[in-house]
Amino acid sequence: MDVSAPAPWSAVRMSTADIREANVAAVCRTLRGHGGLTRAQVGRLTGLTRPTVMAVVQQLVAQGLVVEEGQLKAASGGGRPGTLLHFRSRARVVSAVRLRNARVEVTLADMAGNVLAHSLAPTAPEPGDWTDLVASFAGRIAELRDAHPDLGPLAAVAMTLPGSIDRARGRWTVVRVEGWSDLPAADALADAVGVPVGMVNVVAATLIGRLAQEPAPAQSAALVYVGHGVGSAATVGGRLIDGATGSAGELGHCVLPGVEALCRCGRRGCVESVTSVLHLRREFERITGRPAPPTLAGMEDSGDPAVLAMLELAARRLALAASWQVNIVNPEVVYFGGNPFTDGCTRFFGWFAEELRASAYRPNSAGLSVLPLSSGATLRGAIQVASELLPPFLRPELRLVC
Ligand SMILES: [Zn+2]
């Protein structure tokens, strides 16, 4: 269909600008999906008229988004050869910034999600104020961008931060730091770098990253993540659930009946207080008198029956809380892991999956997939968040956050 000539009876009235943008998006999508195509082939695949294709391609070439390279050989039956057009995924770059253990990790990726450059640097020894931290993010992005002059301009950034993220409002809260509440971090970084900036917490980024690897991801999925904190994230209808203040998925602070352990949040009995990395390591050391291995798999390998009993109790408690989420959200799939600490654990995952199936309501658990998730998806998720902030005609077809 050529949208340059909308039917007069059409119920949806599109402005000229809307039509132009839809045509540009159609040409970009077609070239991204097919590699080298001639203008005539683009016209056939999009249904756009020849003059429209010519005009759109001219605009995209001028913007550096499309390059002309190579010729389509004439078919034996005649026909004119045509210059091949290619979409340049590197014509714009997106950046993912992650604050992790007092270090800033900056990544540049192309519009297809391929990582092009990466840097890891300590933050200032004592960032006096959150604005210093944001300024250091901007500085690191600029450094990495300047080190790769062959890449296109920066077009969007996503920040992955610890603490609470209100993604819709771009606000950041770190409960443990006095005064670091409801900080307008996204706007501050956007002012510094001059492009749209999104925010996402590590658990949500990990789930998004996992789903972005699928050609047709589950419409409703959840992730249970065990790190220094314990959290979850979920999608419904193919979109991430944020909640009113961005705090959806605080699985770690659901209170377990009969548990008295003190949580970092100041309350007693939170799931996190008896299932986090900190708890599991502390318990391992108390039981064995030895330093805890860096991973859950290492703890399982100790073979100590008291350690295994401790891990089983934690796995089943975590699964009990996750079963409430399964009953409420009714996901198709629950992933467990996403963090190096949980990589390769088998027994803990087995107890978790078994208890989750046993505790969830049967109609919700009957068709449920429970799958381990190895680390590495978090960065992919942040790149996806940044990519969804690109101008509409350059956004990925798969949309998970907006
Ligand atoms: Zn708590």
Side-chain angles (χ1 to χ4, degrees):
M1 185 190 75
D2 188 343
V3 291
S4 64
W9 57 84
S10 169
V12 180
R13 297 190 71 85
M14 294 177 79
S15 70
T16 311
D18 289 340
I19 293 166
R20 201 177 300 127
E21 185 161 310
N23 290 343
V24 174
V27 172
C28 282
R29 196 164 50 240
T30 303
L31 284 172
R32 289 174 85 161
H34 288 81
L37 292 173
T38 64
R39 286 170 175 77
Q41 288 172 322
V42 170
R44 275 197 293 280
L45 288 165
T46 57
L48 297 174
T49 60
R50 184 176 163 78
T52 301
V53 171
M54 301 291 271
V56 170
V57 168
Q58 187 179 19
Q59 176 195 330
L60 293 173
V61 169
Q63 292 175 333
L65 291 160
V66 166
V67 64
E68 297 174 287
E69 198 175 287
Q71 293 277 321
L72 181 72
K73 289 197 182 80
S76 55
R80 286 186 304 166
T83 304
L84 292 173
L85 305 167
H86 304 264
F87 184 79
R88 289 183 63 230
S89 292
R90 293 182 173 207
R92 303 286 183 274
V93 295
V94 298
S95 180
V97 184
R98 183 172 179 186
L99 180 63
R100 193 178 190 183
N101 304 329
R103 291 191 295 178
V104 184
E105 191 175 6
V106 177
T107 302
L108 298 178
D110 67 14
M111 289 186 279
N114 300 306
V115 171
L116 304 172
H118 183 262
S119 72
L120 186 63
T123 54
E126 277 295 320
D129 186 73
W130 69 274
T131 53
D132 295 343
L133 201 56
V134 169
S136 78
F137 293 168
R140 297 295 181 201
I141 294 169
E143 272 174 29
L144 191 60
R145 180 67 199 74
D146 291 348
H148 295 83
D150 53 315
L151 301 178
L154 182 71
V157 177
M159 277 190 282
T160 304
L161 300 172
S164 298
I165 303 290
D166 184 340
R167 218 171 49 78
R169 294 171 57 243
R171 301 292 176 122
W172 181 33
T173 297
V174 184
V175 175
R176 283 166 290 147
V177 183
E178 182 77 31
W180 284 32
S181 180
D182 209 31
L183 309 174
D187 281 351
L189 185 59
D191 286 346
V193 296
V195 299
V197 173
M199 302 172 84
V200 64
N201 75 41
V202 63
V203 184
T206 307
L207 177 62
I208 292 164
R210 176 64 186 83
L211 295 174
Q213 293 166 9
E214 299 280 342
Q219 288 292 292
S220 183
L223 167 67
V224 174
Y225 185 98
V226 175
H228 281 80
V230 171
S232 72
T235 60
V236 170
R239 293 286 193 276
L240 183 70
I241 303 173
D242 285 313
T245 62
S247 288
E250 286 292 1
L251 188 72
H253 298 287
C254 294
V255 174
L256 289 164
V259 175
E260 286 299 314
L262 186 64
C263 179
R264 292 190 299 174
C265 74
R267 302 180 310 153
R268 290 191 177 275
C270 289
V271 168
E272 184 173 303
S273 68
V274 289
T275 59
S276 71
V277 170
L278 300 173
H279 168 82
L280 299 176
R281 287 207 173 126
R282 201 166 46 229
E283 283 297 287
F284 182 97
E285 286 167 9
R286 184 184 63 75
I287 292 167
T288 65
R290 288 184 282 122
T295 65
L296 200 44
M299 292 188 198
E300 291 176 350
D301 288 346
S302 75
D304 183 321
V307 167
L308 294 178
M310 179 272 291
L311 294 178
E312 180 173 354
L313 178 61
R316 292 191 186 279
R317 282 171 159 169
L318 183 62
L320 175 64
S323 75
W324 303 334
Q325 187 181 23
V326 165
N327 287 359
I328 293 164
V329 173
N330 189 17
E332 295 161 52
V333 55
V334 172
Y335 295 105
F336 170 81
N339 177 359
F341 175 72
T342 42
D343 277 353
C345 74
T346 53
R347 295 192 189 210
F348 193 98
F349 173 74
W351 292 315
F352 172 84
E354 181 184 79
E355 187 68 42
L356 184 57
R357 290 183 188 289
S359 299
Y361 183 48
R362 200 178 308 149
N364 295 42
S365 67
L368 178 70
S369 299
V370 185
L371 301 172
L373 174 58
S374 51
S375 59
T378 316
L379 174 62
R380 181 72 189 82
I383 292 169
Q384 176 75 22
V385 170
S387 300
E388 293 191 27
L389 293 171
L390 288 166
F393 71 98
L394 293 175
R395 286 176 193 168
E397 267 195 80
L398 176 67
R399 305 270 295 283
L400 294 164
V401 292
C402 57

XYZ file of all heavy atoms in Angstrom, residues 252-253 263-265 267 270, ligand 1:
55
model
N 12.137 -9.145 46.459
C 13.032 -9.311 47.606
C 12.484 -8.730 48.888
O 12.920 -9.112 49.980
N 11.549 -7.814 48.779
C 11.005 -7.198 50.002
C 9.580 -7.653 50.287
O 8.851 -6.971 51.010
C 11.138 -5.674 49.921
C 12.571 -5.249 49.832
N 13.440 -5.309 50.899
C 13.307 -4.855 48.769
C 14.642 -4.928 50.510
N 14.592 -4.656 49.216
N 16.211 -7.206 57.461
C 16.523 -6.874 56.057
C 17.241 -5.529 55.986
O 17.116 -4.697 56.890
C 15.225 -6.834 55.260
S 15.448 -6.415 53.516
N 17.947 -5.283 54.864
C 18.616 -3.986 54.658
C 17.616 -2.834 54.653
O 17.970 -1.694 54.895
C 19.366 -3.987 53.322
C 20.551 -4.926 53.285
C 21.386 -4.695 52.037
N 20.611 -4.944 50.806
C 21.052 -4.715 49.580
N 22.264 -4.220 49.404
N 20.319 -4.977 48.527
N 16.337 -3.152 54.356
C 15.318 -2.097 54.303
C 14.830 -1.713 55.694
O 14.026 -0.793 55.840
C 14.146 -2.522 53.421
S 13.053 -3.751 54.164
N 13.150 -3.740 57.768
C 12.062 -4.590 58.248
C 12.581 -6.002 58.472
O 13.715 -6.330 58.127
C 10.922 -4.580 57.225
C 10.398 -3.181 56.954
C 9.276 -3.189 55.945
N 9.652 -3.943 54.754
C 8.783 -4.559 53.954
N 7.505 -4.519 54.219
N 9.201 -5.195 52.888
N 11.995 -10.165 55.192
C 11.964 -10.003 53.732
C 12.648 -11.202 53.054
O 13.616 -11.764 53.581
C 12.700 -8.733 53.310
S 11.857 -7.221 53.739
Zn 13.368 -5.672 52.925
